[in-house]
Amino acid sequence: MIVTLLKKDLKLLAYSPFIWLYLCLFQFISTWIYFIHIDQFMATQTQMIASNALYTVSDRIVIPFFKSMGLVSTLFLPFITMSLISKEKQQKTFTLLSASPITLFQVTFSKLLTAISIIFVMTMLLSIMIALLTLGTNINLRLLLTCSVAFILLNTAIASMGLFLSSLTRQPIIAGLATLGFLLLTILFGWNAENTDTLLKSISLHTHYNALLSHIINTSHIVYLLVFTLLMFGWSLFKLSSESWRQ
Amino acid sequence: MHTLLDLARFNHVPYFLITICFTFTIMPEALSTPLLQVQNLSRQFGRDTVVQQVSFTLNTGEILGLLGHNGAGKSTTLNMITGTLAATTGNIQIAGYDLHKKPAHAKRHIGYLPATAPLYESMTVTEYLTFCAKLHKIPNNQIKHHRQQAIELCNLNAITQKRLGLLSTGFKQRVGIAQALIHQPDVIILDEPTNGLDPEQMSDMRSLIKGLSKNHSILFSSHLLTEVSAICDRVLILNQGKQVVNQTLSSLQDSLETVTLLVEFESSPKLDQLLNINGVQSAKQVSETQWHCCVRHHKTTAQNIIAQSHQQHWGLYHISEASSLLEQVFLQQMHLSVEIQP
């Protein structure tokens, strides 16, 4: 049943020009940032050789690129998550799902999977661009894989937050703005990390994401992002179930 | 010739016993149990009680009309019956399954068309109905058959490849009904199915609902009295969330205390003359030739009026109910004046 619901959501997305425009815009911005990082690398290459610095292309391009894309996706993903459940409620199609012999878990999980599918496409686009560098230089593919997984984990956490906020309202735009607001707040928590409270620092999704973008993987950051995702998913399920509970 | 006793002998004994048990225990219960049984259903939103102690049953092949003003609690009642909203108290049994305890089993036996047809506007009719069939867990090899049956029943053959967003309101409602019956449920629940339709589409919709009642039990809500009296076998009237009437149409007519008759004469009688007729309780002249007479036992009183008119040469040329009997019942139950405007 989850597959049926997922197929339906992806089909509806594919019919809409929105998703194609979204992916085009994401690709355009990510390519722009990609070339900025390559330009910066080219500009500093001679200085690095002169100073015998040990930085590689992977360190100078892959990690900063994924760091930047973490911020870009934070601004992009609410546009996808805002309509996950609220649009179904707004169009009254949620009644069709809740009056059918399926569970709310199946409905909610399929919505999260829809967002994850888009995240996969976004990650693929980024990974292909980085992988293209192997044509001219050596790229640490393990680092690329780590960064891609970190990017998926961060965005899945963001999607789960968007899913929860989308379950609270019938207005997609409100869900989208609320998600964007919360995410910008978490960026701020992590941004000024050196001067701020360690608690705030540890709350920020981006602190954990940035920590994952390295050659050494600290599983505590993976656990945090996964727990955050599960918590938000659980709250979404709780919110939707509470509507059909006895008062 | 085999008799029951012959069957009971030798190897047939277990089958015989099973048949007997089934016939005398399960079957009568299955036949007598209503498809839908609602007991003491209530729903509160904060301090407001929107639905209060509603109880009714829906039997096989029956069309039950849920009638009430806007905001009387009709949609809330239907939402609770379809499992989209929980009841604060009460019990709902659908085809023997408790909706609260076994929602998935119970929901398989109902098809629901909410007040706004739940359509994905970028899907085609075929895609949408296929999705609905999958939602109701119809096996893949049977989906085409079920879909075709729903399309033919709702007369959607001409628009199967059209996008739902491009359809007219009438066709959208038809597609909504098609999704409600695609899994061939025992009970079809329709929330104001003729809302937003033009008179011709309304008439088509009534014929469709009548046709569906041959194979399904139907519960539908409306605030249109003509619609309910044209389609339903039984009427449930809600007033401010409370159930005030649950009767068949024929027994409703009998239960009316007074009926308002519209009577037209060529030469109008005086008020006293009309009030002297046996059965006439009150009368009001609404135009030069027209009178509204509030009467008891309307059939015999009408005969009395005709006889008196003949004797007094009033030239009676029209006598009928001033409004439908259901409308009069509805208004009486709503504690409103039965006075009818000319």
Side-chain angles (χ1 to χ4, degrees):
Chain A
M1 187 49 65
I2 289 171
V3 176
T4 304
L5 293 167
L6 176 65
K7 273 186 187 170
K8 182 267 291 175
D9 283 336
L10 291 178
K11 195 184 266 185
L12 289 177
L13 271 175
Y15 282 153
S16 134
F18 165 76
I19 190 66
W20 302 110
L21 190 68
Y22 174 91
L23 287 173
C24 280
L25 201 61
F26 180 76
Q27 181 61 34
F28 177 78
I29 291 172
S30 56
T31 310
W32 193 279
I33 292 169
Y34 174 73
F35 282 118
I36 287 173
H37 284 295
I38 288 178
D39 272 354
Q40 280 177 350
F41 177 74
M42 301 293 271
T44 55
Q45 199 177 18
T46 45
Q47 291 170 12
M48 282 192 294
I49 291 167
S51 64
N52 286 327
L54 290 172
Y55 288 116
T56 62
V57 176
S58 304
D59 294 322
R60 301 293 296 183
I61 295 178
V62 179
I63 293 174
F65 175 66
F66 270 96
K67 226 171 228 181
S68 308
M69 290 319 295
L71 294 174
V72 171
S73 68
T74 304
L75 300 175
F76 264 72
L77 214 54
F79 289 102
I80 293 289
T81 60
M82 69 180 191
S83 55
L84 285 175
I85 290 172
S86 56
K87 198 174 176 185
E88 295 263 10
K89 285 185 174 177
Q90 192 185 42
Q91 294 183 337
K92 316 275 183 192
T93 45
F94 196 76
T95 317
L96 176 76
L97 303 176
S98 52
S100 305
I102 55 173
T103 60
L104 278 173
F105 174 82
Q106 289 170 325
V107 175
T108 318
F109 192 56
S110 72
K111 294 289 176 192
L112 185 62
L113 285 183
T114 306
I116 291 174
S117 307
I118 304 296
I119 292 164
F120 257 100
V121 174
M122 288 160 70
T123 313
M124 285 298 291
L125 292 172
L126 301 185
S127 303
I128 288 168
M129 278 198 295
I130 295 294
L132 281 175
L133 286 176
T134 53
L135 297 173
T137 183
N138 284 330
I139 289 286
N140 184 344
L141 290 176
R142 283 184 189 165
L143 181 69
L144 173 60
L145 185 68
T146 309
C147 289
S148 301
V149 171
F151 185 77
I152 291 171
L153 285 173
L154 169 76
N155 286 295
T156 305
I158 292 173
S160 65
M161 180 191 262
L163 179 77
F164 170 61
L165 292 168
S166 177
S167 69
L168 297 178
T169 173
R170 286 172 190 271
Q171 303 294 330
I173 194 75
I174 291 174
L177 285 174
T179 311
L180 196 61
F182 274 106
L183 289 172
L184 288 176
L185 204 64
T186 66
I187 290 173
L188 283 177
F189 288 165
W191 201 330
N192 210 5
E194 281 103 39
N195 304 328
T196 49
D197 200 304
T198 44
L199 178 68
L200 289 180
K201 186 181 166 186
S202 60
I203 286 172
S204 171
L205 291 173
H206 289 79
T207 308
H208 296 276
Y209 170 67
N210 291 337
L212 275 173
L213 300 177
S214 69
H215 295 274
I216 299 159
I217 299 170
N218 185 342
T219 48
S220 68
H221 300 302
I222 297 177
V223 170
Y224 178 81
L225 291 173
L226 286 176
V227 167
F228 185 88
T229 304
L230 280 175
L231 194 70
M232 287 294 163
F233 176 75
W235 277 358
S236 312
L237 197 58
F238 177 81
K239 169 68 187 69
L240 293 173
S241 308
S242 66
E243 287 169 19
S244 55
W245 283 348
R246 286 179 186 272
Q247 300 294 301
Chain B
M1 187 180 158
H2 287 288
T3 62
L4 283 176
L5 281 175
D6 288 334
L7 283 169
R9 284 181 204 144
F10 312 117
N11 300 332
H12 299 294
V13 170
Y15 304 110
F16 175 78
L17 287 174
I18 290 167
T19 312
I20 293 293
C21 288
F22 183 74
T23 311
F24 289 102
T25 59
I26 301 165
M27 279 290 281
E29 195 183 328
L31 287 172
S32 62
T33 307
L35 278 175
L36 175 66
Q37 201 165 9
V38 175
Q39 288 174 327
N40 305 322
L41 201 63
S42 296
R43 172 74 202 196
Q44 284 182 316
F45 289 107
R47 287 181 182 177
D48 294 335
T49 305
V50 180
V51 175
Q52 208 172 332
Q53 298 291 313
V54 171
S55 299
F56 64 91
T57 57
L58 180 68
N59 298 312
T60 311
E62 194 177 24
I63 308 182
L64 173 63
L66 195 57
L67 202 58
H69 285 304
N70 287 329
K74 304 187 295 290
S75 294
T76 309
T77 305
L78 296 187
N79 282 336
M80 286 190 281
I81 294 168
T82 52
T84 55
L85 182 73
T88 307
T89 58
N91 184 33
I92 301 163
Q93 297 259 337
I94 301 166
Y97 294 105
D98 188 312
L99 183 66
H100 188 62
K101 289 175 186 161
K102 289 188 171 178
H105 287 86
K107 284 176 183 177
R108 278 185 196 173
H109 295 272
I110 52 169
Y112 180 40
L113 170 66
T116 309
L119 308 177
Y120 295 104
E121 301 218 322
S122 46
M123 281 186 176
T124 64
V125 174
T126 309
E127 284 171 341
Y128 177 68
L129 292 179
T130 306
F131 171 66
C132 293
K134 285 180 181 172
L135 269 187
H136 287 96
K137 297 171 185 173
I138 296 172
N140 281 342
N141 58 355
Q142 291 175 28
I143 287 178
K144 200 176 171 185
H145 169 70
H146 278 254
R147 192 180 63 210
Q148 198 52 37
Q149 222 170 16
I151 284 172
E152 275 164 23
L153 263 171
C154 299
N155 206 8
L156 298 170
N157 281 305
I159 53 149
T160 50
Q161 295 309 317
K162 275 199 173 179
R163 298 233 175 269
L164 294 169
L166 301 175
L167 298 180
S168 66
T169 316
F171 271 121
K172 279 183 181 173
Q173 284 296 84
R174 280 174 177 270
V175 176
I177 292 188
Q179 68 77 22
L181 55 87
I182 195 154
H183 54 296
Q184 296 172 349
D186 296 318
V187 182
I188 297 177
I189 297 171
L190 310 169
D191 192 358
E192 306 201 1
T194 55
N195 248 6
L197 302 186
D198 64 37
E200 194 182 344
Q201 288 172 331
M202 279 169 98
S203 167
D204 287 350
M205 185 61 72
R206 279 179 206 148
S207 316
L208 175 62
I209 295 170
K210 271 275 185 197
L212 290 175
S213 70
K214 288 172 192 162
N215 300 313
H216 309 271
S217 300
I218 297 172
L219 167 62
F220 90 98
S221 76
S222 180
H223 56 264
L224 300 176
L225 298 160
T226 46
E227 191 171 278
V228 173
S229 57
I231 304 175
C232 295
D233 305 314
R234 199 150 54 87
V235 182
L236 185 85
I237 299 179
L238 292 182
N239 184 20
Q240 294 176 342
K242 287 178 192 161
Q243 177 180 325
V244 287
V245 167
N246 179 11
Q247 278 178 292
T248 59
L249 279 177
S250 54
S251 63
L252 262 181
Q253 290 174 7
D254 298 337
S255 71
L256 263 179
E257 286 182 6
T258 56
V259 171
T260 305
L261 296 178
L262 172 68
V263 195
E264 292 184 73
F265 305 98
E266 274 182 2
S267 55
S268 236
K270 287 181 180 167
L271 179 63
D272 296 348
Q273 290 174 308
L274 279 174
L275 291 176
N276 283 335
I277 299 172
N278 195 17
V280 177
Q281 285 209 315
S282 61
K284 186 184 175 187
Q285 190 162 15
V286 290
S287 74
E288 207 173 304
T289 56
Q290 287 182 329
W291 284 83
H292 275 154
C293 299
C294 189
V295 303
R296 278 181 182 274
H297 315 296
H298 65 286
K299 285 176 187 164
T300 48
T301 311
Q303 286 170 1
N304 294 342
I305 294 172
I306 293 166
Q308 196 68 18
S309 166
H310 183 67
Q311 269 181 15
Q312 306 285 337
H313 305 289
W314 292 336
L316 173 89
Y317 63 90
H318 179 98
I319 183 163
S320 66
E321 287 145 9
S323 58
S324 77
L325 287 172
L326 182 60
E327 189 174 341
Q328 297 189 34
V329 172
F330 183 74
L331 292 173
Q332 279 184 17
Q333 292 299 334
M334 298 289 145
H335 306 292
L336 294 174
S337 164
V338 195
E339 194 173 287
I340 291 131
Q341 298 301 315

